[in-house]
Amino acid sequence: MSDLSKLPVTVITGFLGSGKTTLIRHLMQNPQGKRLAVVVNEFGDVGVDGEILKSCAIPDCPEENIMELSNGCICCTVADDFIPTIEALMALEPRPDHILIETSGLALPKPLLKAFDWPDIRSRITVDGVIALADAEAVATGRFAPDVARVDAQRMADDSIDHETPLSEVFEDQISCADIILLTKPDLAGADGIARAREIIAAEAPRPLPVVEVAEGVVDVRVILGLEAAAEDDMDARPSHHDEADDHEHDDFESIVVELPEQADPADLVTRIERLANEKNILRVKGYVPVAGKPMRLLVQAVGARVRHQFDRPWKPGEMRRGRLVVIAEHDDIDTAAINDILTGTPVAAE
């Protein structure tokens, strides 16, 4: 079987809240004649991103072409989850023309690329390209990449600081593995922030990479699909902090699910989420909540203290009107009792 007959796959990576789901939704709605399939891998067991995408299903990407793998890294469960999912998509009639894989925001993309060397699929599938999304404002402020000046200042004050954070390593690995960078939310960063973000990305990239500014996920499909990178055969050009490791750990990060009752005022919930980010260093909050007097479900997505919410669909007949929010942070910042106390006002005993 020649390379031209292999089914192309695009891996879409990027830090928590960088806009991956928004990008995929745009690709689904503007497929340029391609029949798409999507694999969504989430950190945490509430499938927010998968539900968002299924609600946008169209004939060129029907709901049965959208598969979700929650609460597990697909590159760590190749035989059990990843390979069967890919094979199921390839067996669809009609067969997809292109598969999009949205990784967890905490995923390291290179181990996933290695999965494409799995004997059952390597002759039938190829990685067309790795697309890394970077939140322009977050990168510019050094939140997801090393800030050299700040680290140097800390080192002068404390000799014990001699390593980078897990967050910066995830960011660097995603950039290093990419074929193209999409710089998202440029309106929030401004011209100076965009310039700073570009400088940081250029410094972290192991080779010159194209950087494209993208707002609300809108990008010409031809820019990111059809790269023909065959990334699985180009591993040496994609260095990783974890190249010497036999496996990679996700113990640096943790997620919990907080159950919420019906909310009287979405603005009050937003205030509590902002407080959670500012006081407890929470990275990401996403999920759904019921609002009193409203027939529709409120979708909540937060990156740090930046909170977005909207009513996404009516509650289904017989569906329990309950709120569930996934809260993600570095392991040491997950304090279940404090998080529940802030979000619900009801203290929960620590385990």
Side-chain angles (χ1 to χ4, degrees), residues 190-203:
D192 291 343
I194 291 170
R196 174 62 179 149
R198 285 178 174 273
E199 290 175 0
I200 291 173
I201 290 169

Side-chain angles (χ1 to χ4, degrees), residues 134-287:
D135 182 319
E137 182 190 35
V139 174
T141 56
R143 280 182 280 154
F144 306 136
D147 185 324
V148 176
R150 185 177 305 167
V151 172
D152 286 344
Q154 290 175 331
R155 283 175 175 164
M156 291 177 66
D158 186 350
D159 292 337
S160 68
I161 298 177
D162 59 359
H163 62 277
E164 296 173 332
T165 68
L167 296 183
S168 68
E169 288 191 1
V170 171
F171 172 80
E172 291 161 17
D173 276 17
Q174 291 173 348
I175 295 299
S176 294
C177 199
D179 293 291
I180 187 170
I181 310 294
L182 300 186
L183 201 57
T184 63
K185 306 176 185 178
D187 54 317
L188 299 177
D192 291 343
I194 291 170
R196 174 62 179 149
R198 285 178 174 273
E199 290 175 0
I200 291 173
I201 290 169
E204 296 299 343
R207 59 196 182 283
L209 292 174
V211 178
V212 179
E213 294 173 33
V214 174
E216 298 298 332
V218 178
V219 63
D220 191 319
V221 173
R222 296 170 297 179
V223 173
I224 59 175
L225 300 187
L227 299 181
E228 299 182 0
E232 71 276 14
D233 296 328
D234 187 32
M235 301 294 283
D236 290 343
R238 304 165 191 267
S240 165
H241 283 281
H242 304 82
D243 280 338
E244 302 303 320
D246 293 331
D247 200 352
H248 65 281
E249 301 292 337
H250 296 275
D251 293 342
D252 291 326
F253 306 98
E254 187 174 343
S255 72
I256 63 170
V257 177
V258 178
E259 304 275 350
L260 291 176
E262 191 170 74
Q263 302 293 298
D265 182 7
D268 179 59
L269 177 61
V270 169
T271 298
R272 281 179 274 146
I273 294 173
E274 291 171 343
R275 178 185 165 198
L276 194 66
N278 292 327
E279 294 183 10
K280 301 299 177 182
N281 298 320
I282 298 304
L283 302 173
R284 188 86 160 94
V285 176
K286 59 182 179 178

